[in-house]
Amino acid sequence: MENMVDISVEFGRLRLSNPVFTASGTCGYAGELGEFMDLDRLGGFVTKSITAQPRMGNATPRIVETDAGMLNAIGLANIGVERFILEKLPALAKIKAAVFVNVAGETIEEYVAVAQNLANQEAVAGLELNISCPNVAKGGISFGTDPEQVREITSAVKQAAGQKVLMVKLTPNVTDIAVIARAAIDAGADALSLINTFTAMVIDIKERRPVLANRTGGLSGPAIKPIAVYMVNKVYNEAAKERGIPILGMGGIRNASDAIEFMIAGASAVAVGTGSFVEPACAAKIVEGIKKYCADNAIAGVKELVGSLGA
Ligand SMILES: Cc1cc2nc3c(=O)[nH]c(=O)nc-3n(C[C@H](O)[C@H](O)[C@H](O)COP(=O)(O)O)c2cc1C
């Protein structure tokens, strides 16, 4: 029965074998996860953020566990786009999953430079634009919190990205995420992904100091899931649905039930982040779980679930 279920999804102009992705920054460049899971079982793979130049990232400690999740302040540690293309992309080119490269930077010019380097790489299906970074030229305010800056960066990267699918990753640290979503769509985003982490802090009460060297970090994991589901539904209803823009939903997904919630809320696909740290094969198990849910509930194609939330 489960073999009769069609779990393929359309994601913009891409057709994916299933709706399950890895989330940026939680599975490196694939080599790390490949030891635990057959990456061909994924619908999509998103790399950790890549910048124009290599970055060491923040001082340690840069992760800390919380009651129902974790905080991270990695600071975009990565090997830079040139080494990424030479050393990491050849292995990614071999997997069946659609490969999205997450692009980050401190200025619009830096984002554009990374996108230009990736635009002609055959192994890359799309770019995910991490707009949660501080804009150094604008006093360090995150690009993703200001609709005007979101328009500017999205249209600049869209031009540089050529034929690649451009997915803009939204931060939840805003008053109205639908306003930001509409700005990204108006400026040419082909897809949206949400949510990135919530800015948060953990205090060591003995030292009376923040635990993270960076003081603050981004909260992820099960703690954020109901807020993420709400935001996906809001963006779907108020921005994405009428424009036919697919959403990659994420935030605290650990099992197939979580993934299905996001799809009912309006996500065409889902990504697993923190869940892979707890259980490295989590994403592959979710693919199987979605298949079983569809078979058990007489759902012929998983696409039927997308945006099927009742009143
Ligand atoms: C350790 C860690 C590193 C991350 N690095 C990145 C990153 O480099 N770029 C990015 O856009 N998001 C990054 N994220 C955010 C995740 O991709 C995801 O949006 C967020 O964690 C919510 O999903 P989750 O609750 O399933 O982890 C990172 C998250 C974690 C936990």
Side-chain angles (χ1 to χ4, degrees):
M1 190 61 189
E2 280 167 41
N3 289 335
M4 315 247 305
V5 177
D6 177 14
I7 57 162
S8 70
V9 289
E10 270 133 39
F11 196 77
R13 33 181 206 280
L14 302 176
R15 191 181 174 86
L16 309 174
S17 61
N18 69 69
V20 183
F21 283 61
T22 56
S24 177
T26 59
C27 300
Y29 308 109
E32 296 85 342
L33 190 63
E35 287 174 38
F36 302 99
M37 190 177 72
D38 176 6
L39 299 172
D40 288 341
R41 291 168 72 186
L42 292 168
F45 183 92
V46 186
T47 70
K48 65 157 65 186
S49 282
I50 309 288
T51 51
Q53 303 301 327
R55 288 175 61 114
M56 294 291 288
N58 291 328
T60 55
R62 49 192 191 179
I63 57 169
V64 56
E65 227 175 294
T66 63
D67 290 339
M70 64 181 282
L71 261 60
N72 89 84
I74 306 293
L76 304 178
N78 79 97
I79 60 174
V81 69
E82 284 171 19
R83 275 186 63 198
F84 167 75
I85 290 170
L86 284 173
E87 297 172 22
K88 304 294 179 184
L89 201 53
L92 283 169
K94 292 191 187 125
I95 64 173
K96 288 190 187 134
V99 173
F100 278 73
V101 180
N102 183 293
V103 177
E106 293 180 334
T107 60
I108 292 188
E109 294 71 31
E110 194 186 341
Y111 279 90
V112 166
V114 179
Q116 278 169 341
N117 271 282
L118 296 165
N120 297 320
Q121 297 298 326
E122 214 179 304
V124 177
L127 307 182
E128 181 182 55
L129 201 57
N130 175 4
I131 55 172
S132 296
C133 312
N135 182 349
V136 169
K138 290 251 166 95
I141 296 167
S142 159
F143 288 95
T145 57
D146 171 11
E148 198 40 57
Q149 285 196 62
V150 170
R151 263 188 282 276
E152 215 181 308
I153 194 168
T154 304
S155 67
V157 175
K158 175 79 181 166
Q159 280 191 15
Q163 296 305 306
K164 303 301 181 198
V165 173
L166 180 61
M167 176 158 75
V168 176
K169 182 169 185 179
L170 307 180
T171 168
N173 299 308
V174 292
T175 311
D176 186 347
I177 197 165
V179 170
I180 306 291
R182 282 195 293 272
I185 295 171
D186 288 345
D190 302 303
L192 299 172
S193 53
L194 61 149
I195 55 175
N196 212 319
T197 54
F198 285 90
T199 305
M201 185 188 270
V202 174
I203 293 173
D204 177 335
I205 59 164
K206 213 162 143 222
E207 302 289 334
R208 298 196 206 171
R209 288 166 66 170
V211 170
L212 295 176
N214 187 56
R215 299 182 63 87
T216 61
L219 178 65
S220 63
I224 69 171
K225 196 192 82 179
I227 319 178
V229 169
Y230 159 69
M231 287 186 164
V232 164
N233 188 239
K234 182 172 170 66
V235 167
Y236 178 73
N237 286 332
E238 297 178 23
K241 183 184 177 183
E242 62 178 21
R243 306 284 288 272
I245 297 292
I247 295 173
L248 176 65
M250 73 196 87
I253 295 176
R254 283 182 300 180
N255 52 44
S257 313
D258 295 339
I260 288 160
E261 258 192 79
F262 276 83
M263 294 189 77
I264 293 171
S268 294
V270 295
V272 182
T274 305
S276 300
F277 293 144
V278 182
E279 191 185 7
C282 183
K285 281 194 180 165
I286 291 176
V287 175
E288 294 314 309
I290 290 174
K291 224 185 256 179
K292 184 170 180 336
Y293 170 85
C294 290
D296 291 350
N297 292 280
I299 295 166
V302 73
K303 277 176 273 190
E304 287 173 35
L305 290 175
V306 179
S308 61
L309 183 66

